[in-house]
Amino acid sequence: HDLRFRAVRKMVADLPAGAKILDVGCGSGFAVEHCVRNRADLQVYGIDVAPALIQYAKQKRPRFHFELAKGEELPFPSEMFDAVLSLDTIEHLVDPARALAEARRVLKTNGTLVVLVVLEHHPLFRLIWWLWMKWKGKVWHGAHLRIFTKESLQKLVEESGLSTVEFRSLFAGMSVLMKARK
């Protein structure tokens, strides 16, 4: 995980002191905690649809603000955040276009969106996923509702009104990390 956390840290390194950051699909808060390591000045928020994970996140990471919510229906005012993260989340959403529209809504002008997705068409990923599903990953069967390519992700993000700033390939090309601006 550290490789992706370092990559995300670089993409949000230019956030001003005291910036507000939202992690959509935060789970237990583990990822966002590592992505903002060394930035105690950031105000961190997270949302997820799993009540048990939100409860756990609140207990383990009391400095952060966690809420039960969907990415497609963010419970925050417009232009509240300097950055929105969607790390290994958008492929699980029923309506990723609506989630990106919501991310754009809650981003301040010039705000940053960071999206990480696996590229399921990648041959190495397909092999690893097949092995994982045979071994321990059966719980993940059907969890990915959308399959993205770098191009389809970029198109969806730009159709939401954001501008692509940077792409970074991770894990031998099995994942892509994208930075966009409002």
Side-chain angles (χ1 to χ4, degrees):
H1 293 292
D2 195 53
L3 173 67
R4 68 185 184 152
F5 297 150
R6 281 185 284 151
V8 173
R9 278 195 296 272
K10 286 180 184 179
M11 288 192 169
V12 297
D14 61 347
L15 290 176
K20 290 181 181 175
I21 188 168
L22 171 64
D23 183 13
V24 175
C26 66
S28 70
F30 175 81
V32 73
E33 179 180 51
H34 288 278
C35 290
V36 301
R37 189 172 55 200
N38 303 326
R39 288 294 306 267
D41 63 297
L42 295 177
Q43 297 178 53
V44 178
Y45 293 75
I47 62 110
D48 203 285
V49 296
L53 288 175
I54 291 297
Q55 181 180 359
Y56 179 84
K58 286 179 176 183
Q59 291 171 352
K60 291 298 255 185
R61 294 162 183 90
R63 179 174 83 80
F64 299 164
H65 312 276
F66 294 105
E67 292 189 36
L68 188 64
K70 294 179 180 181
E72 298 95 338
E73 299 171 20
L74 298 176
F76 304 106
S78 297
E79 299 195 12
M80 179 174 170
F81 295 99
D82 298 280
V84 174
L85 307 179
S86 176
L87 309 177
D88 293 319
T89 299
I90 197 166
E91 62 270 27
H92 299 275
L93 299 179
V94 171
D95 190 350
R98 177 72 186 135
L100 288 171
E102 277 291 276
R104 183 183 184 285
R105 180 185 66 77
V106 300
L107 275 172
K108 294 178 181 177
T109 301
N110 295 318
T112 299
L113 172 73
V114 177
V115 180
L116 176 67
V117 296
V118 296
L119 301 177
E120 292 189 41
H121 65 281
H122 191 283
L124 183 56
F125 178 83
R126 290 170 59 145
L127 173 63
I128 291 169
W129 190 251
W130 182 82
L131 291 169
W132 175 247
M133 293 300 285
K134 294 289 183 189
W135 183 46
K136 284 190 171 185
K138 290 180 179 143
V139 68
W140 290 104
H141 181 71
H144 291 174
L145 304 179
R146 302 281 184 277
I147 296 175
F148 289 97
T149 64
K150 177 183 171 183
E151 294 77 18
S152 67
L153 176 63
Q154 182 174 11
K155 181 180 180 197
L156 188 63
V157 168
E158 290 180 355
E159 285 175 349
S160 76
L162 300 165
S163 301
T164 304
V165 174
E166 178 183 353
F167 273 104
R168 180 157 181 207
S169 179
L170 300 174
F171 309 116
M174 292 186 290
S175 292
V176 67
L177 185 63
M178 177 187 188
K179 179 178 181 177
R181 289 233 192 259
K182 179 175 177 180

